[in-house]
Amino acid sequence: MSLVNITLIIYIIASIAYIVREIWRSAGTKWVSLGFLILAFCFNLTMVATRSIEAGHPPFSNLYESLVFYACCTAFIYIIFEFTYNFRVVGALASVLAMLILFYATLQDDTIRPIMPALKSNWMLIHVVTYMLGYAAFGISFVTSIIYLVVKPFVRKGEAVQAEREILPRNFDKLSYKIVAFGFPFLTLGMITGAVWAKKAWGDYWSWDPKETWSLITWLAYLVYLHTPLVLPKMNINKSKASVILSIWLLVAFGIVNFTFMGLSYLPSAADSEHIYGSK
Amino acid sequence: MKAETKNDIKQINKGQTNQYERKGSSNKVWDFFCSVKLAVVIILVLVLACIIGTVILQEKTFDEYVARYGYGLATFFKITQLNNVFYSYWFSVLLVLLCANLICCTIKRWRNTFLQTGFILTHLSLVLILIGGVVKFQLGVKGGVNVYEGKSVNYFLTQKIDSKGKLDYVKKDLPFTIALDDFILEKNEPKFQLVSYVKNKDRQKVLEVKLGKRQRVPGSDYKVTVKDYVPDAELKQEPVNLSDKPDNPAIFVKFFGSEKVAAEGWLLAYDRNSYEDKKQNIRIEYILLSSQQELDKAVNSAETANAQLSVSLSGQTQDYPLDLNKVFKFEGTDYTVKMLQYVHNYGDRRPLGEQPTDNPAVQVEINGPEGVETRWVFEKFPDWDKMHPAKYKNLKITCSGIASTYMAKNTLRIYQTPEGKQVLVYIKDKRIVETMPWELEKRYTIPDTGNQVEVSSYFPSFDFKKEVIKKSDEVVMPAILAEVEGPGGKVEDWIFSGNQYATWYTDNNFALVYESTGESVKHFTSKLRIEENGQTVAEKTIRVNDPLKHKGYVIYQSSYDPEAGTFSGLQIVKDPGIPVVYSGFGALCFGVVFIFYIKPFLRKKLKKEVEE
Ligand code: HEM
């Protein structure tokens, strides 16, 4: 069996283990599920590494390579969060998300092609790595927002909040905010290093190319998310409604992330762009 | 940014918070420009503008808009500047508003505490970046110029859409001269890939070329094993005789013109059974007959072979004589066929009589239940249609004897029967001149011409032994030996990278192509020299990602002449706003890291100290 298939299967096992852990709630299951996810992450990382060696360049030169790396980052960021915060359900969906991204990668053309001169730069390395870490964090915030929106209708008002150390799904709105706050600097760094790289390679740090424009849109979408908590209270919107609005906004924003990443070839302006996967 | 944060800060920085409430709370305009509400609204409008700017094509000529969207919309775009969103007046107004908002809110919230560093830096950095952008727009230039090797330029061209919506080039002078001393184009080693194609799934997949590895073709039951690889291969086809059974009889004929061999080659009874020499005006045919009776009939006839078209459908075959524009019905079906034209050498534009008989073909029009299909039928490539799209794929059409529509003045027929009767007939001007028996390795003189002919070998079961030889170790014309397993069993075949056509598996549903992925450019560099008043003042070899800077101008390697590789495309940029923008970039990076990583960390620490 190929490395990809093994990795995919371990992601699925990890996901199941997280669900089991949610039901059983015993301390031992924590390490089982986390262990599987870490294992899947290691396999995924091996894929990135072997590809990098085989191709002889950093493994982000086409959609296939970027997706494999994206899946890897998603697992990585989740694992960091699991060590930082104490939550469980998220793991099941995070593994599924990583698995889906990797599966989507397998549908792409995985031919190794020589990379074009403009891509040979250290700025490109920082640019892609920071972007992918940012995207991965937003993926996790997407998951926590879904869980929040699903759980929300079942939470009775005024119900006493358990004094456990673990974060409950009903408080995932705050958790989402923390995760976005973690990812946003990465997105910002990704955008700026991208601009600096473009300046070095093409002579202009910003030329309103569709890829640039959409990464700005993504950045602005999360910027809105970060500023709205300051606005909503002034607009007579109560706290619980505000949380729902913000969570829905995160779902939309993650949609924008993925469009920026993979959907730009559907734009009429894609043909002119140097940036877009699949247009050449 | 969150409510609790404010409280923390208030707690920690007692005595300073009042400042933030005091400032201008009575002024409505001031409040408006300070509000986050405005910020959010502006950002959302910007998002919308950006989306429009990528959905509608930008900065095209007016004609292109008319062609794409129609005159009405094109005019609308022009008036609203939706054809140039990012440089439009309304977009500029948005950015000015954004700037005002950023400055006002920063002033309003300004407190001299360390924890505010991030907030101030991020907001002001955006102002800096926008100011830098304005400087670039007002004072910057960006253009390009192509320089030939050994030549120099002292100008460049910028592109612009003029007020009439037409593309315009503007020439800009440089305060120095750029000389291109040398241009080097480095290419990657050519790369090849093995592509599989499953027809009924319409799926293409690139397979690994790894010796001995059995690979499943995803989504199908085919398996491919690459058994051998030769980087620089040449195909040698050696004729061999497989057995004494006459299943593919062939003779080797030598044709002598005044003692010297003028032509020689194999004639196959069932395939390529004639040779035509237009210079000598002679045609040599090899005809296998099944019985003595047929032979007797044939040797007494000077008739030419009949040109005909054969059509088969589910095991049933019907033959039609070559008769242009006559509609023939395929009895028992709904199909009719009509021959539109024929040629002796497909693709040859010369008149029919001057064409060599290299690739005879007939163009056929088929009328069936699904309408009309027109296709070319090739005499020498009876399976051509298998590999190419056709509407009536189940209808197999072949043709034969097309070349004989051209009758050489002289024809030499070499007859043979399974019983071993061998007769030579010489026909001149459609009349039989001579008939005689022939034997192997004996020369016969053709009357009146002084030419001679000899059949030097006879292979009853002729075949080619394919042999691949390695010419060198360099990757020039690689070939692989691929084994395909599928419903029709195991089949092995050599696949050459130079092959135009796919290699099909026996079921005609699976094909392999070994193709070049295109030569791609590895590096291109230009050795540039800057001259002022005839003196060299700077020199550098530039490449993508490594430009030359001189007097505020930056010269980038941007393209090259794709055909001859003799000129270098340079991009020339001047942007005095760069220092401002880059300081903005730096401040923004530090600012976000401060807000989201350093500040929470410091706050936690401070809180702990306060508690203690
Ligand atoms: C990287 C970009 C940005 C970051 C990281 C950022 C961050 C922040 C933070 C942390 C605050 C709250 C300050 C506090 O609580 O003391 C804030 C407030 C504010 N931001 Fe931003 N901001 C950014 C961009 C913008 C932009 C583009 C605008 C649009 C004009 C904007 C408008 C505002 C306004 C008006 C406030 C004041 C809120 C108030 O007075 O209550 N910010 N921002």
PDB file of all heavy atoms in Angstrom, chain B residues 23-53:
ATOM      1  N   LYS B  23     -11.206  62.712  24.975  1.00  0.00           N
ATOM      2  CA  LYS B  23     -10.941  63.334  23.683  1.00  0.00           C
ATOM      3  C   LYS B  23     -12.167  63.418  22.782  1.00  0.00           C
ATOM      4  O   LYS B  23     -12.737  62.410  22.387  1.00  0.00           O
ATOM      5  CB  LYS B  23      -9.834  62.570  22.964  1.00  0.00           C
ATOM      6  CG  LYS B  23      -8.705  63.485  22.542  1.00  0.00           C
ATOM      7  CD  LYS B  23      -7.646  62.687  21.852  1.00  0.00           C
ATOM      8  CE  LYS B  23      -6.296  63.333  22.036  1.00  0.00           C
ATOM      9  NZ  LYS B  23      -5.210  62.429  21.673  1.00  0.00           N
ATOM     10  N   GLY B  24     -12.545  64.620  22.410  1.00  0.00           N
ATOM     11  CA  GLY B  24     -13.523  64.885  21.366  1.00  0.00           C
ATOM     12  C   GLY B  24     -14.815  64.097  21.431  1.00  0.00           C
ATOM     13  O   GLY B  24     -15.345  63.716  20.397  1.00  0.00           O
ATOM     14  N   SER B  25     -15.341  63.840  22.577  1.00  0.00           N
ATOM     15  CA  SER B  25     -16.552  63.034  22.632  1.00  0.00           C
ATOM     16  C   SER B  25     -17.770  63.840  22.175  1.00  0.00           C
ATOM     17  O   SER B  25     -18.814  63.286  21.916  1.00  0.00           O
ATOM     18  CB  SER B  25     -16.764  62.497  24.043  1.00  0.00           C
ATOM     19  OG  SER B  25     -16.778  63.590  24.934  1.00  0.00           O
ATOM     20  N   SER B  26     -17.627  65.178  22.063  1.00  0.00           N
ATOM     21  CA  SER B  26     -18.773  65.986  21.676  1.00  0.00           C
ATOM     22  C   SER B  26     -18.899  66.100  20.164  1.00  0.00           C
ATOM     23  O   SER B  26     -19.971  66.356  19.633  1.00  0.00           O
ATOM     24  CB  SER B  26     -18.635  67.391  22.278  1.00  0.00           C
ATOM     25  OG  SER B  26     -17.386  67.920  21.854  1.00  0.00           O
ATOM     26  N   ASN B  27     -17.783  65.861  19.477  1.00  0.00           N
ATOM     27  CA  ASN B  27     -17.776  66.090  18.039  1.00  0.00           C
ATOM     28  C   ASN B  27     -18.260  64.874  17.251  1.00  0.00           C
ATOM     29  O   ASN B  27     -17.655  63.812  17.272  1.00  0.00           O
ATOM     30  CB  ASN B  27     -16.345  66.442  17.624  1.00  0.00           C
ATOM     31  CG  ASN B  27     -16.306  66.969  16.205  1.00  0.00           C
ATOM     32  OD1 ASN B  27     -17.146  66.577  15.390  1.00  0.00           O
ATOM     33  ND2 ASN B  27     -15.362  67.837  15.941  1.00  0.00           N
ATOM     34  N   LYS B  28     -19.351  65.072  16.550  1.00  0.00           N
ATOM     35  CA  LYS B  28     -19.956  63.926  15.854  1.00  0.00           C
ATOM     36  C   LYS B  28     -19.101  63.430  14.692  1.00  0.00           C
ATOM     37  O   LYS B  28     -18.983  62.233  14.459  1.00  0.00           O
ATOM     38  CB  LYS B  28     -21.340  64.310  15.338  1.00  0.00           C
ATOM     39  CG  LYS B  28     -22.409  64.036  16.353  1.00  0.00           C
ATOM     40  CD  LYS B  28     -23.763  63.939  15.684  1.00  0.00           C
ATOM     41  CE  LYS B  28     -24.768  63.460  16.722  1.00  0.00           C
ATOM     42  NZ  LYS B  28     -26.126  63.877  16.430  1.00  0.00           N
ATOM     43  N   VAL B  29     -18.523  64.379  13.943  1.00  0.00           N
ATOM     44  CA  VAL B  29     -17.702  64.004  12.790  1.00  0.00           C
ATOM     45  C   VAL B  29     -16.493  63.202  13.263  1.00  0.00           C
ATOM     46  O   VAL B  29     -16.142  62.160  12.721  1.00  0.00           O
ATOM     47  CB  VAL B  29     -17.234  65.245  12.011  1.00  0.00           C
ATOM     48  CG1 VAL B  29     -16.379  64.855  10.813  1.00  0.00           C
ATOM     49  CG2 VAL B  29     -18.433  66.078  11.585  1.00  0.00           C
ATOM     50  N   TRP B  30     -15.902  63.713  14.317  1.00  0.00           N
ATOM     51  CA  TRP B  30     -14.747  63.032  14.896  1.00  0.00           C
ATOM     52  C   TRP B  30     -15.125  61.621  15.338  1.00  0.00           C
ATOM     53  O   TRP B  30     -14.442  60.650  15.012  1.00  0.00           O
ATOM     54  CB  TRP B  30     -14.229  63.860  16.071  1.00  0.00           C
ATOM     55  CG  TRP B  30     -13.143  63.196  16.850  1.00  0.00           C
ATOM     56  CD1 TRP B  30     -13.236  62.702  18.115  1.00  0.00           C
ATOM     57  CD2 TRP B  30     -11.808  62.945  16.415  1.00  0.00           C
ATOM     58  NE1 TRP B  30     -12.050  62.168  18.518  1.00  0.00           N
ATOM     59  CE2 TRP B  30     -11.145  62.299  17.483  1.00  0.00           C
ATOM     60  CE3 TRP B  30     -11.104  63.198  15.225  1.00  0.00           C
ATOM     61  CZ2 TRP B  30      -9.818  61.903  17.410  1.00  0.00           C
ATOM     62  CZ3 TRP B  30      -9.792  62.808  15.159  1.00  0.00           C
ATOM     63  CH2 TRP B  30      -9.153  62.170  16.221  1.00  0.00           C
ATOM     64  N   ASP B  31     -16.237  61.486  15.994  1.00  0.00           N
ATOM     65  CA  ASP B  31     -16.694  60.166  16.447  1.00  0.00           C
ATOM     66  C   ASP B  31     -16.907  59.228  15.267  1.00  0.00           C
ATOM     67  O   ASP B  31     -16.557  58.054  15.322  1.00  0.00           O
ATOM     68  CB  ASP B  31     -18.009  60.290  17.217  1.00  0.00           C
ATOM     69  CG  ASP B  31     -17.745  60.670  18.659  1.00  0.00           C
ATOM     70  OD1 ASP B  31     -16.558  60.604  19.057  1.00  0.00           O
ATOM     71  OD2 ASP B  31     -18.694  61.024  19.363  1.00  0.00           O
ATOM     72  N   PHE B  32     -17.489  59.825  14.227  1.00  0.00           N
ATOM     73  CA  PHE B  32     -17.745  59.016  13.037  1.00  0.00           C
ATOM     74  C   PHE B  32     -16.433  58.428  12.489  1.00  0.00           C
ATOM     75  O   PHE B  32     -16.336  57.240  12.226  1.00  0.00           O
ATOM     76  CB  PHE B  32     -18.425  59.882  11.974  1.00  0.00           C
ATOM     77  CG  PHE B  32     -18.595  59.192  10.641  1.00  0.00           C
ATOM     78  CD1 PHE B  32     -19.585  58.242  10.458  1.00  0.00           C
ATOM     79  CD2 PHE B  32     -17.761  59.511   9.570  1.00  0.00           C
ATOM     80  CE1 PHE B  32     -19.739  57.614   9.234  1.00  0.00           C
ATOM     81  CE2 PHE B  32     -17.909  58.881   8.344  1.00  0.00           C
ATOM     82  CZ  PHE B  32     -18.901  57.931   8.176  1.00  0.00           C
ATOM     83  N   PHE B  33     -15.427  59.297  12.392  1.00  0.00           N
ATOM     84  CA  PHE B  33     -14.156  58.822  11.835  1.00  0.00           C
ATOM     85  C   PHE B  33     -13.377  57.922  12.782  1.00  0.00           C
ATOM     86  O   PHE B  33     -12.444  57.244  12.371  1.00  0.00           O
ATOM     87  CB  PHE B  33     -13.291  60.005  11.387  1.00  0.00           C
ATOM     88  CG  PHE B  33     -13.667  60.500  10.027  1.00  0.00           C
ATOM     89  CD1 PHE B  33     -14.311  61.713   9.859  1.00  0.00           C
ATOM     90  CD2 PHE B  33     -13.404  59.723   8.905  1.00  0.00           C
ATOM     91  CE1 PHE B  33     -14.683  62.157   8.593  1.00  0.00           C
ATOM     92  CE2 PHE B  33     -13.764  60.174   7.647  1.00  0.00           C
ATOM     93  CZ  PHE B  33     -14.411  61.381   7.484  1.00  0.00           C
ATOM     94  N   CYS B  34     -13.758  57.932  14.052  1.00  0.00           N
ATOM     95  CA  CYS B  34     -13.058  57.070  15.005  1.00  0.00           C
ATOM     96  C   CYS B  34     -13.698  55.696  15.119  1.00  0.00           C
ATOM     97  O   CYS B  34     -13.109  54.786  15.682  1.00  0.00           O
ATOM     98  CB  CYS B  34     -13.078  57.696  16.400  1.00  0.00           C
ATOM     99  SG  CYS B  34     -12.040  59.131  16.514  1.00  0.00           S
ATOM    100  N   SER B  35     -14.912  55.562  14.611  1.00  0.00           N
ATOM    101  CA  SER B  35     -15.676  54.371  14.999  1.00  0.00           C
ATOM    102  C   SER B  35     -15.220  53.097  14.290  1.00  0.00           C
ATOM    103  O   SER B  35     -14.777  53.118  13.134  1.00  0.00           O
ATOM    104  CB  SER B  35     -17.163  54.612  14.724  1.00  0.00           C
ATOM    105  OG  SER B  35     -17.381  54.568  13.340  1.00  0.00           O
ATOM    106  N   VAL B  36     -15.325  52.010  14.999  1.00  0.00           N
ATOM    107  CA  VAL B  36     -15.009  50.705  14.406  1.00  0.00           C
ATOM    108  C   VAL B  36     -16.077  50.331  13.395  1.00  0.00           C
ATOM    109  O   VAL B  36     -15.817  49.594  12.460  1.00  0.00           O
ATOM    110  CB  VAL B  36     -14.979  49.572  15.461  1.00  0.00           C
ATOM    111  CG1 VAL B  36     -13.937  48.551  15.084  1.00  0.00           C
ATOM    112  CG2 VAL B  36     -14.718  50.115  16.818  1.00  0.00           C
ATOM    113  N   LYS B  37     -17.289  50.863  13.630  1.00  0.00           N
ATOM    114  CA  LYS B  37     -18.375  50.576  12.704  1.00  0.00           C
ATOM    115  C   LYS B  37     -17.961  51.010  11.296  1.00  0.00           C
ATOM    116  O   LYS B  37     -18.097  50.264  10.333  1.00  0.00           O
ATOM    117  CB  LYS B  37     -19.617  51.351  13.137  1.00  0.00           C
ATOM    118  CG  LYS B  37     -20.892  50.536  13.051  1.00  0.00           C
ATOM    119  CD  LYS B  37     -22.075  51.460  13.168  1.00  0.00           C
ATOM    120  CE  LYS B  37     -22.931  51.169  14.386  1.00  0.00           C
ATOM    121  NZ  LYS B  37     -24.029  52.125  14.597  1.00  0.00           N
ATOM    122  N   LEU B  38     -17.451  52.226  11.218  1.00  0.00           N
ATOM    123  CA  LEU B  38     -16.992  52.737   9.918  1.00  0.00           C
ATOM    124  C   LEU B  38     -15.909  51.812   9.355  1.00  0.00           C
ATOM    125  O   LEU B  38     -15.926  51.452   8.176  1.00  0.00           O
ATOM    126  CB  LEU B  38     -16.455  54.161  10.061  1.00  0.00           C
ATOM    127  CG  LEU B  38     -15.890  54.762   8.762  1.00  0.00           C
ATOM    128  CD1 LEU B  38     -16.996  54.998   7.749  1.00  0.00           C
ATOM    129  CD2 LEU B  38     -15.141  56.066   9.034  1.00  0.00           C
ATOM    130  N   ALA B  39     -14.984  51.412  10.253  1.00  0.00           N
ATOM    131  CA  ALA B  39     -13.895  50.527   9.807  1.00  0.00           C
ATOM    132  C   ALA B  39     -14.465  49.270   9.170  1.00  0.00           C
ATOM    133  O   ALA B  39     -14.082  48.880   8.062  1.00  0.00           O
ATOM    134  CB  ALA B  39     -13.001  50.181  10.985  1.00  0.00           C
ATOM    135  N   VAL B  40     -15.396  48.649   9.868  1.00  0.00           N
ATOM    136  CA  VAL B  40     -15.955  47.389   9.360  1.00  0.00           C
ATOM    137  C   VAL B  40     -16.681  47.623   8.035  1.00  0.00           C
ATOM    138  O   VAL B  40     -16.521  46.852   7.090  1.00  0.00           O
ATOM    139  CB  VAL B  40     -16.891  46.753  10.421  1.00  0.00           C
ATOM    140  CG1 VAL B  40     -17.691  45.618   9.825  1.00  0.00           C
ATOM    141  CG2 VAL B  40     -16.083  46.291  11.605  1.00  0.00           C
ATOM    142  N   VAL B  41     -17.442  48.722   7.967  1.00  0.00           N
ATOM    143  CA  VAL B  41     -18.166  49.008   6.724  1.00  0.00           C
ATOM    144  C   VAL B  41     -17.178  49.224   5.570  1.00  0.00           C
ATOM    145  O   VAL B  41     -17.323  48.631   4.495  1.00  0.00           O
ATOM    146  CB  VAL B  41     -19.087  50.239   6.894  1.00  0.00           C
ATOM    147  CG1 VAL B  41     -19.642  50.686   5.545  1.00  0.00           C
ATOM    148  CG2 VAL B  41     -20.219  49.911   7.847  1.00  0.00           C
ATOM    149  N   ILE B  42     -16.144  50.031   5.816  1.00  0.00           N
ATOM    150  CA  ILE B  42     -15.167  50.287   4.746  1.00  0.00           C
ATOM    151  C   ILE B  42     -14.512  48.981   4.292  1.00  0.00           C
ATOM    152  O   ILE B  42     -14.386  48.704   3.099  1.00  0.00           O
ATOM    153  CB  ILE B  42     -14.067  51.258   5.207  1.00  0.00           C
ATOM    154  CG1 ILE B  42     -14.658  52.636   5.498  1.00  0.00           C
ATOM    155  CG2 ILE B  42     -12.986  51.395   4.134  1.00  0.00           C
ATOM    156  CD1 ILE B  42     -13.661  53.592   6.110  1.00  0.00           C
ATOM    157  N   ILE B  43     -14.121  48.163   5.245  1.00  0.00           N
ATOM    158  CA  ILE B  43     -13.448  46.915   4.889  1.00  0.00           C
ATOM    159  C   ILE B  43     -14.377  46.028   4.054  1.00  0.00           C
ATOM    160  O   ILE B  43     -13.958  45.449   3.046  1.00  0.00           O
ATOM    161  CB  ILE B  43     -12.957  46.163   6.139  1.00  0.00           C
ATOM    162  CG1 ILE B  43     -11.908  47.013   6.867  1.00  0.00           C
ATOM    163  CG2 ILE B  43     -12.341  44.825   5.768  1.00  0.00           C
ATOM    164  CD1 ILE B  43     -11.480  46.450   8.195  1.00  0.00           C
ATOM    165  N   LEU B  44     -15.649  45.979   4.463  1.00  0.00           N
ATOM    166  CA  LEU B  44     -16.580  45.145   3.694  1.00  0.00           C
ATOM    167  C   LEU B  44     -16.770  45.686   2.275  1.00  0.00           C
ATOM    168  O   LEU B  44     -16.833  44.915   1.316  1.00  0.00           O
ATOM    169  CB  LEU B  44     -17.924  45.040   4.428  1.00  0.00           C
ATOM    170  CG  LEU B  44     -17.893  44.162   5.684  1.00  0.00           C
ATOM    171  CD1 LEU B  44     -19.239  44.179   6.389  1.00  0.00           C
ATOM    172  CD2 LEU B  44     -17.485  42.726   5.341  1.00  0.00           C
ATOM    173  N   VAL B  45     -16.849  47.006   2.139  1.00  0.00           N
ATOM    174  CA  VAL B  45     -16.980  47.586   0.796  1.00  0.00           C
ATOM    175  C   VAL B  45     -15.724  47.286  -0.028  1.00  0.00           C
ATOM    176  O   VAL B  45     -15.800  46.944  -1.210  1.00  0.00           O
ATOM    177  CB  VAL B  45     -17.247  49.108   0.861  1.00  0.00           C
ATOM    178  CG1 VAL B  45     -17.291  49.700  -0.547  1.00  0.00           C
ATOM    179  CG2 VAL B  45     -18.540  49.390   1.585  1.00  0.00           C
ATOM    180  N   LEU B  46     -14.561  47.359   0.640  1.00  0.00           N
ATOM    181  CA  LEU B  46     -13.311  47.025  -0.051  1.00  0.00           C
ATOM    182  C   LEU B  46     -13.334  45.585  -0.553  1.00  0.00           C
ATOM    183  O   LEU B  46     -12.915  45.290  -1.672  1.00  0.00           O
ATOM    184  CB  LEU B  46     -12.120  47.196   0.894  1.00  0.00           C
ATOM    185  CG  LEU B  46     -11.533  48.601   1.043  1.00  0.00           C
ATOM    186  CD1 LEU B  46     -10.425  48.584   2.075  1.00  0.00           C
ATOM    187  CD2 LEU B  46     -10.991  49.081  -0.303  1.00  0.00           C
ATOM    188  N   VAL B  47     -13.830  44.704   0.303  1.00  0.00           N
ATOM    189  CA  VAL B  47     -13.924  43.294  -0.089  1.00  0.00           C
ATOM    190  C   VAL B  47     -14.774  43.166  -1.343  1.00  0.00           C
ATOM    191  O   VAL B  47     -14.386  42.505  -2.324  1.00  0.00           O
ATOM    192  CB  VAL B  47     -14.513  42.435   1.059  1.00  0.00           C
ATOM    193  CG1 VAL B  47     -14.932  41.067   0.561  1.00  0.00           C
ATOM    194  CG2 VAL B  47     -13.509  42.304   2.182  1.00  0.00           C
ATOM    195  N   LEU B  48     -15.897  43.843  -1.326  1.00  0.00           N
ATOM    196  CA  LEU B  48     -16.795  43.791  -2.474  1.00  0.00           C
ATOM    197  C   LEU B  48     -16.087  44.313  -3.732  1.00  0.00           C
ATOM    198  O   LEU B  48     -16.158  43.707  -4.809  1.00  0.00           O
ATOM    199  CB  LEU B  48     -18.031  44.644  -2.171  1.00  0.00           C
ATOM    200  CG  LEU B  48     -19.248  44.350  -3.022  1.00  0.00           C
ATOM    201  CD1 LEU B  48     -19.796  42.981  -2.661  1.00  0.00           C
ATOM    202  CD2 LEU B  48     -20.312  45.429  -2.816  1.00  0.00           C
ATOM    203  N   ALA B  49     -15.393  45.436  -3.583  1.00  0.00           N
ATOM    204  CA  ALA B  49     -14.680  46.030  -4.722  1.00  0.00           C
ATOM    205  C   ALA B  49     -13.639  45.061  -5.265  1.00  0.00           C
ATOM    206  O   ALA B  49     -13.497  44.897  -6.476  1.00  0.00           O
ATOM    207  CB  ALA B  49     -14.016  47.329  -4.291  1.00  0.00           C
ATOM    208  N   CYS B  50     -12.928  44.407  -4.350  1.00  0.00           N
ATOM    209  CA  CYS B  50     -11.901  43.451  -4.776  1.00  0.00           C
ATOM    210  C   CYS B  50     -12.524  42.295  -5.558  1.00  0.00           C
ATOM    211  O   CYS B  50     -11.976  41.844  -6.564  1.00  0.00           O
ATOM    212  CB  CYS B  50     -11.156  42.884  -3.572  1.00  0.00           C
ATOM    213  SG  CYS B  50     -10.038  44.049  -2.831  1.00  0.00           S
ATOM    214  N   ILE B  51     -13.671  41.825  -5.077  1.00  0.00           N
ATOM    215  CA  ILE B  51     -14.330  40.715  -5.781  1.00  0.00           C
ATOM    216  C   ILE B  51     -14.706  41.163  -7.195  1.00  0.00           C
ATOM    217  O   ILE B  51     -14.402  40.489  -8.181  1.00  0.00           O
ATOM    218  CB  ILE B  51     -15.557  40.220  -4.996  1.00  0.00           C
ATOM    219  CG1 ILE B  51     -15.102  39.610  -3.674  1.00  0.00           C
ATOM    220  CG2 ILE B  51     -16.336  39.198  -5.801  1.00  0.00           C
ATOM    221  CD1 ILE B  51     -16.217  39.151  -2.772  1.00  0.00           C
ATOM    222  N   ILE B  52     -15.320  42.353  -7.268  1.00  0.00           N
ATOM    223  CA  ILE B  52     -15.690  42.874  -8.598  1.00  0.00           C
ATOM    224  C   ILE B  52     -14.451  42.983  -9.485  1.00  0.00           C
ATOM    225  O   ILE B  52     -14.457  42.597 -10.649  1.00  0.00           O
ATOM    226  CB  ILE B  52     -16.369  44.252  -8.458  1.00  0.00           C
ATOM    227  CG1 ILE B  52     -17.712  44.094  -7.760  1.00  0.00           C
ATOM    228  CG2 ILE B  52     -16.563  44.907  -9.831  1.00  0.00           C
ATOM    229  CD1 ILE B  52     -18.382  45.398  -7.423  1.00  0.00           C
ATOM    230  N   GLY B  53     -13.354  43.464  -8.881  1.00  0.00           N
ATOM    231  CA  GLY B  53     -12.118  43.661  -9.637  1.00  0.00           C
ATOM    232  C   GLY B  53     -11.497  42.384 -10.166  1.00  0.00           C
ATOM    233  O   GLY B  53     -10.636  42.420 -11.047  1.00  0.00           O
TER     234      GLY B  53
END
